[in-house]
Amino acid sequence: MDNNSSTASDASLATYAPGAPITGERKLNLHLQEQIPKPYIARALVAVDQSHPNGTEGRDHHDMSVLQQHVSFFDRNKDGIIYPWETYKGFRAIGCGVFLSLLAGFLINFLLGYSTQPGWIPSPLLPIHIRNIHKCKHGSDSETYDTEGRFDPAKFDAIFSKYAITHSDALTGAELHKMLQANRNLTDFIGRGIARAEWQLLYSLAKDERGLLHRDAIRGLFDGSLFEQLEKKRKGE
């Protein structure tokens, strides 16, 4: 029997509605609560899944939200502010070319910087204040980050239960494209563009030799630990 099939005994727990075939195509993991304690509670400090119930082992969260941890890799001097040249250095550190890193250093800080400012007067240096990075959450995403920057285990797991058809814990390039198409919000052209750029960059940097983007790499993206791994790999450590 399909795990997502509606039963007469408990329709209140059904995740499949026969009148909405898409709910059968994009399935949810009905056993997630057995695999992760209270998966419906978004975690503020760690990115958890079935293989990482306590988040990334041995990693200090520094009392930052998971979203803050994601961006803090690019704060190269750890002063809580990311300037365009730091974004550039961060992109270079994970293996991106000079042109892409320069483009990212300008565009990311230009698009996100003002939203994080502590006041109304914009800075010509385009700083991103990590303290306020939650204000930069965009639409057309997986919703794994909530609006405060916490990590939602159920939303993260849904990436794979819905779209990882070929391999349960990895996305192919085609499946990634399907997820991006499905996550699009109506008229959200900026959010769509940012989401596509983020995921395509992740795929180019972290896919394996078979073209698979694994769960561990995606989870590491959310808490920033993947960036640290890529930097160490590039340095040959």
Side-chain angles (χ1 to χ4, degrees):
M1 180 180 292
D2 191 324
N3 287 337
N4 290 271
S5 295
S6 175
T7 63
S9 61
D10 199 352
S12 66
L13 293 177
T15 62
Y16 168 58
I22 194 67
T23 61
E25 295 173 21
R26 300 176 190 165
K27 300 178 182 179
L28 296 176
N29 180 3
L30 298 186
H31 304 289
L32 187 58
Q33 188 158 318
E34 301 166 15
Q35 300 163 349
I36 304 173
K38 300 181 179 179
Y40 48 84
I41 296 179
R43 269 58 166 190
L45 298 174
V46 293
V48 305
D49 69 356
Q50 292 89 329
S51 300
H52 305 84
N54 299 310
T56 302
E57 294 296 332
R59 190 165 187 268
D60 190 344
H61 51 67
H62 298 289
D63 292 328
M64 292 189 292
S65 72
V66 178
L67 177 56
Q68 288 175 327
Q69 294 172 53
H70 167 78
V71 301
S72 69
F73 172 82
F74 299 91
D75 179 14
R76 307 304 284 179
N77 63 1
K78 303 305 176 187
D79 65 352
I81 302 174
I82 305 170
Y83 291 97
W85 51 90
E86 292 183 288
T87 303
Y88 167 82
K89 290 177 181 178
F91 270 76
R92 291 290 289 149
I94 61 176
C96 296
V98 172
F99 176 76
L100 177 57
S101 299
L102 283 170
L103 184 64
F106 173 73
L107 280 181
I108 290 175
N109 285 68
F110 177 77
L111 291 173
L112 304 185
Y114 184 71
S115 296
T116 69
Q117 298 298 291
W120 292 100
I121 301 175
S123 169
L125 298 179
L126 305 178
I128 295 173
H129 293 256
I130 294 177
R131 180 181 181 86
N132 298 322
I133 194 63
H134 62 281
K135 295 181 179 181
C136 296
K137 185 181 182 299
H138 59 80
S140 300
D141 64 351
S142 67
E143 299 183 353
T144 299
Y145 294 127
D146 69 9
T147 51
E148 292 74 40
R150 290 179 289 246
F151 179 91
D152 188 326
K155 294 293 186 180
F156 177 72
D157 188 76
I159 293 173
F160 304 94
S161 65
K162 288 184 177 182
Y163 306 107
I165 306 303
T166 309
H167 302 273
S168 61
D169 282 339
L171 297 176
T172 65
E175 289 165 351
L176 175 59
H177 176 73
K178 187 174 182 179
M179 181 189 74
L180 289 170
Q181 293 291 102
N183 286 344
R184 293 184 306 177
N185 299 136
L186 185 65
T187 73
D188 178 29
F189 303 110
I190 293 177
R192 292 182 190 181
I194 293 175
R196 180 168 296 280
E198 289 173 338
W199 282 94
Q200 287 183 340
L201 177 62
L202 172 64
Y203 184 75
S204 68
L205 291 172
K207 67 181 178 181
D208 68 9
E209 64 279 358
R210 296 182 296 165
L212 297 176
L213 184 59
H214 290 270
R215 176 190 286 261
D216 281 350
I218 298 174
R219 192 195 64 83
L221 168 76
F222 282 104
D223 73 358
S225 60
L226 175 66
F227 299 141
E228 297 164 3
Q229 295 169 17
L230 291 172
E231 182 175 27
K232 289 179 180 179
K233 181 179 179 181
R234 187 166 180 264
K235 289 180 177 179
E237 297 180 8

